Amino acid sequence: MTVERDYEPSPFSPGYGRRPLVFGGHETDLAELTDVFETLDFGESQSVLVSGLRGSGKTSLLSVLQDAARNRGWLVISDDASAGLMDRVMETAIPSLLQQLDQGTRARLTGLGIWQLNAQWEYVDRHREVRPLLRRDLVALSDVLAEHHPPAGVLITIDEVSSGKVRLRELSRFALEISHAIAEGANVMVVFAGIRLDLEALVEQEHTTFLRRSRELDFRRLSPPETRHVLAETIRIGGKRVDDDALALLVSISQGYPYLVQLAGDFAWRSSGSGPSITLADARAAQSRAITAVERRVISRVYQDLSEKDREFVAAMALDESRTKIADIVERMGVSDQYVQVYKKRLIESGYVQSDGRGYVTFSLPYLGDYIRSMNSESGPDAGRDDWQQYPPPKS
Ligand SMILES: Nc1ncnc2c1ncn2[C@@H]1O[C@H](COP(=O)(O)OP(=O)(O)O)[C@@H](O)[C@H]1O
Ligand SMILES: [Mg+2]
């Protein structure tokens, strides 16, 4: 049975790790990084740190890079920084990369004695006489890829870096292997992505000092023209038109926050149903739904990433509808001026807060202030939405 559809499916992709149809902004960084896949001239891009709040597009960037690398014949190792990273890479990722290489190359790699392949040149096991080390694998892979036409390398992307102690120890061991491979001249680009404070914790580890020389990408919001471009292009490719006033409203609802751009576009698209264009009424219909959804799916998680003290700071800010005077935060928190400065700096660096004129701060994440206000009001943000009170337990 076929289902008749009289409307086009939404071309928007709201959801973590869902690569957007149109990836907005970051052109220079992307161009310079993908150039490396062609030239193997790494410059400052041998290691890359991508920081940003949840929903700012880190995972999407990684997948754009992975595709660009594969298109140039590079091998790609991608993982998230969860427990067992090294084993997964050594026992699963690299063996499966070997299968992608042609037989002659595989045969040469076996000759190096690092891997044992069977008569069909399939990976069997590690050669037990040599202790398997990631650095050796990377150097060997890089050597054979360097002889390809065109020459290629290995891209390693590690997403979801987190600063838990055990994780950090494992990550730092992993990073150490990579730094050795790089020191031996391997054509390896490694990209770590996570929230800023977690990446900072990673760089402070004993064996990760080489990461201080990384290229740093800090994802904030897209500019208004970039936001406009993402919305308009996605709609165009999806097969509809969008009215100017509708587009302007969608830009202002989403405030350039990538996840919210996708949500606003998606709701507006759905509201337009089988119509050929997205109108102002559709954009208006999208507004409250998109904001509710971003609070639930993004802002609440962004808030959970904050420490207890950070939360006190943002709660003190949220008492004001717009910007907040630093002096008022000092007073509201009942702590010293210096103390407040330390937290202010942290929150600004990690992208939650920004300066707004001398002595003032404001939220840089759209709707975070509203979210905190609603949470600190008696009923909480979910009051009325997920209302268990409507279902009182039966009296026994
Ligand atoms: N540059 C971008 N332009 C348009 N949409 C984007 C961009 N980056 C991410 N998105 C969208 O934002 C949402 C969150 O992206 P994701 O990469 O998962 O963010 P993060 O990994 O930082 O949490 C997804 O819906 C994705 O499609
Ligand atoms: Mg992500």
Side-chain angles (χ1 to χ4, degrees), residues 16-18 53-60 62 159-160 193-194:
Y16 289 108
R18 287 188 60 195
L53 302 180
R54 289 174 196 275
S56 61
K58 303 179 296 297
T59 303
S60 300
L62 296 184
D159 203 354
E160 309 280 342

Side-chain angles (χ1 to χ4, degrees), residues 18-36:
R18 287 188 60 195
R19 170 133 169 226
L21 187 59
V22 179
F23 184 85
H26 315 294
E27 278 101 0
T28 313
D29 284 319
L30 257 181
E32 290 181 14
L33 289 171
T34 50
D35 269 357
V36 174

Side-chain angles (χ1 to χ4, degrees), residues 170-243:
E170 200 176 348
L171 259 180
S172 117
R173 210 160 58 86
F174 185 79
L176 177 66
E177 288 298 313
I178 295 174
S179 79
H180 278 292
I182 290 174
E184 288 179 41
N187 293 316
V188 171
M189 180 193 287
V190 60
V191 188
F192 291 97
I195 62 175
R196 173 101 178 205
L197 291 174
D198 289 341
L199 289 179
E200 279 172 3
L202 173 64
V203 173
E204 313 239 299
Q205 293 293 297
E206 197 180 347
H207 298 304
T208 54
T209 43
F210 79 104
L211 290 176
R212 296 202 181 130
R213 294 186 302 270
S214 301
R215 181 187 194 108
E216 290 185 29
L217 275 57
D218 191 17
F219 280 14
R220 304 274 162 123
R221 303 198 228 169
L222 302 175
S223 70
E226 288 163 354
T227 307
R228 215 184 142 80
H229 172 76
V230 168
L231 288 161
E233 268 300 286
T234 308
I235 293 167
R236 190 188 63 75
I237 298 169
K240 289 197 190 213
R241 290 189 303 274
V242 56
D243 294 347

Side-chain angles (χ1 to χ4, degrees), residues 21-314:
L21 187 59
V22 179
F23 184 85
H26 315 294
E27 278 101 0
T28 313
D29 284 319
L30 257 181
E32 290 181 14
L33 289 171
T34 50
D35 269 357
V36 174
F37 302 143
E38 207 155 316
T39 60
L40 274 76
D41 175 6
F42 287 85
E44 59 155 355
S45 305
Q46 193 111 43
S47 60
V48 183
L49 301 177
V50 187
S51 60
L53 302 180
R54 289 174 196 275
S56 61
K58 303 179 296 297
T59 303
S60 300
L61 174 90
L62 296 184
S63 65
V64 171
L65 285 177
Q66 289 157 11
D67 278 6
R70 286 196 191 95
N71 284 338
R72 295 296 305 185
W74 281 47
L75 294 181
V76 176
I77 297 172
S78 69
D79 204 306
D80 54 26
S82 58
L85 170 67
M86 187 76 93
D87 284 348
R88 279 195 304 281
V89 169
M90 297 289 284
E91 298 307 323
T92 313
I94 291 182
S96 88
L97 288 182
L98 290 176
Q99 298 305 321
Q100 294 170 26
L101 296 168
D102 60 76
Q103 255 188 35
T105 310
R106 271 187 259 163
R108 286 194 27 232
L109 281 170
T110 346
L112 298 172
I114 300 177
W115 296 287
Q116 213 170 39
L117 306 186
N118 66 14
Q120 284 76 50
W121 301 115
E122 282 160 356
Y123 172 86
V124 184
D125 202 356
R126 294 280 169 184
H127 199 291
R128 289 300 162 208
E129 281 149 50
V130 188
R131 190 160 81 90
L133 283 176
L134 178 60
R135 65 182 88 164
R136 293 207 191 107
D137 287 10
L138 292 175
V139 170
L141 284 173
S142 166
D143 283 350
V144 298
L145 290 167
E147 286 164 23
H148 278 194
H149 303 287
V154 183
L155 171 69
I156 304 173
T157 67
I158 304 296
D159 203 354
E160 309 280 342
V161 169
S162 106
S163 56
K165 259 205 188 117
V166 182
R167 295 269 186 94
L168 274 184
R169 218 179 301 132
E170 200 176 348
L171 259 180
S172 117
R173 210 160 58 86
F174 185 79
L176 177 66
E177 288 298 313
I178 295 174
S179 79
H180 278 292
I182 290 174
E184 288 179 41
N187 293 316
V188 171
M189 180 193 287
V190 60
V191 188
F192 291 97
I195 62 175
R196 173 101 178 205
L197 291 174
D198 289 341
L199 289 179
E200 279 172 3
L202 173 64
V203 173
E204 313 239 299
Q205 293 293 297
E206 197 180 347
H207 298 304
T208 54
T209 43
F210 79 104
L211 290 176
R212 296 202 181 130
R213 294 186 302 270
S214 301
R215 181 187 194 108
E216 290 185 29
L217 275 57
D218 191 17
F219 280 14
R220 304 274 162 123
R221 303 198 228 169
L222 302 175
S223 70
E226 288 163 354
T227 307
R228 215 184 142 80
H229 172 76
V230 168
L231 288 161
E233 268 300 286
T234 308
I235 293 167
R236 190 188 63 75
I237 298 169
K240 289 197 190 213
R241 290 189 303 274
V242 56
D243 294 347
D244 282 346
D245 49 4
L247 184 57
L249 180 57
L250 290 173
V251 170
S252 86
I253 294 168
S254 62
Q255 300 187 17
Y257 201 63
Y259 200 132
L260 188 48
V261 174
Q262 298 297 328
L263 282 168
D266 189 59
F267 282 121
W269 180 281
R270 287 168 198 280
S271 161
S272 69
S274 58
S277 54
I278 292 174
T279 63
L280 185 59
D282 297 321
R284 287 209 178 106
Q287 182 159 7
S288 64
R289 300 181 69 185
I291 293 170
T292 305
V294 84
E295 283 188 356
R296 285 189 160 187
R297 299 196 212 165
V298 186
I299 310 281
S300 59
R301 293 180 61 178
V302 161
Y303 182 77
Q304 281 161 19
D305 291 334
L306 290 168
S307 74
E308 203 65 35
K309 286 295 169 202
D310 291 332
R311 288 183 196 176
E312 278 178 35
F313 188 105
V314 293

